[in-house]
Amino acid sequence: KALDTARAYKQSMLQKMFPQKGEKVPRVRFAGFSGDWEQRRLSDIVKINPSAQLPMTFKYVDLESVKGHILMNVRKEFRETAPSRAQRVAIKNDIFYQTVRPYQRNNYLFDLEDDDYVFSTGYAQLRPKKIIISLFLFSVIQTVEFLRKVLIRCTGTSYPAINSTDLGEINISFPSLKEQTAIGNFFQKLDQQIEQQAQKLATYQQL
């Protein structure tokens, strides 16, 4: 019950703390912040799929490796024999957005210092520029409104997908860096609480 309550609370706050369609400000805001949020295309505020050379050996992250926002199983690969889809070389604070069946919401904020993780091209790699904070943007892509914009741009029926160019055309609303930080930290703490509750539940079920 506690886990369901925490998840429901997060979804409610994702609705209230980001502007909805046609709005310039959110309905709920931290004290001390005011003014309209700025709006730009995603491609203006992040680098999408930056190129990089594959390491000689690396940990490969495919579409089965991320569940929710948690990195599960990865496998070791060698550059010479790696799958052709192994192309997205991760650095800290990159966001990996699932472009195939995005309604599953298996997206990942890479917060590790390691330089030997490579993600599949089934993810769009988003590298925030100086005007946007990773934790904030990671919260934005979890909103219902963002997913709605993604789904209307998807093609295909069995495996609906959005290409990186169309993803970059989606408009993103954002406030000052200080307010972004406050929002990002808020949702990070919520995610940590949800993960703790999920781990407790898994332990009880195992017992």
Side-chain angles (χ1 to χ4, degrees):
K1 187 176 179 181
L3 179 58
D4 291 339
T5 300
R7 285 173 172 165
Y9 177 69
K10 178 184 174 181
Q11 290 306 313
S12 174
M13 296 313 291
L14 282 171
Q15 288 268 12
K16 295 174 182 177
M17 294 185 69
F18 296 92
Q20 300 302 299
K21 186 176 181 180
E23 298 177 345
K24 293 184 177 180
V25 294
R27 296 168 191 173
V28 173
R29 213 163 181 180
F30 288 114
F33 297 109
S34 60
D36 290 350
W37 285 24
E38 187 175 350
Q39 190 175 87
R40 293 199 200 178
R41 292 182 307 176
L42 183 62
S43 59
D44 292 334
I45 61 176
V46 302
K47 291 181 180 178
I48 300 178
N49 302 334
S51 59
Q53 186 177 31
L54 291 180
M56 293 300 294
T57 61
F58 57 87
K59 302 176 186 77
Y60 178 49
V61 182
D62 62 16
L63 287 174
E64 305 301 318
S65 301
V66 176
K67 300 296 181 185
H69 309 312
I70 299 174
L71 186 61
M72 309 292 282
N73 300 318
V74 298
R75 67 176 189 262
K76 184 177 181 180
E77 291 285 355
F78 297 89
R79 184 195 296 173
E80 294 82 2
T81 57
S84 60
R85 292 173 69 85
Q87 295 182 24
R88 317 279 196 232
V89 181
I91 67 170
K92 189 174 183 179
N93 293 322
D94 281 352
I95 293 171
F96 292 88
Y97 188 79
Q98 179 185 359
T99 56
V100 181
R101 291 189 287 187
Y103 54 82
Q104 293 180 333
R105 303 187 185 195
N106 296 322
N107 307 308
Y108 188 68
L109 171 58
F110 189 79
D111 58 354
L112 306 174
E113 300 289 349
D114 307 56
D115 60 1
D116 61 345
Y117 278 78
V118 177
F119 284 67
S120 163
T121 53
Y123 300 95
Q125 183 176 9
L126 312 178
R127 184 166 295 166
K129 298 179 181 178
K130 291 182 179 180
I131 59 173
I132 202 83
I133 292 172
S134 291
L135 275 176
F136 171 80
L137 182 58
F138 192 61
S139 299
V140 172
I141 67 172
Q142 297 176 51
T143 64
V144 172
E145 178 62 14
F146 184 83
L147 181 60
R148 181 189 69 80
K149 293 176 181 179
V150 168
L151 292 179
I152 62 176
R153 291 169 169 82
C154 283
T155 58
T157 52
S158 299
Y159 294 91
I162 184 171
N163 64 55
S164 296
T165 301
D166 289 339
L167 185 68
E169 292 296 316
I170 294 176
N171 286 326
I172 300 292
S173 295
F174 57 95
S176 67
L177 290 174
K178 190 173 182 180
E179 190 170 2
Q180 286 181 44
T181 301
I183 294 170
N185 288 341
F186 173 77
F187 282 103
Q188 183 185 45
K189 289 178 182 177
L190 269 185
D191 283 338
Q192 289 169 348
Q193 291 171 4
I194 290 171
E195 187 175 346
Q196 288 171 1
Q197 292 292 343
Q199 288 174 347
K200 285 182 181 178
L201 180 60
T203 301
Y204 292 146
Q205 290 173 336
Q206 198 171 32
L207 288 171

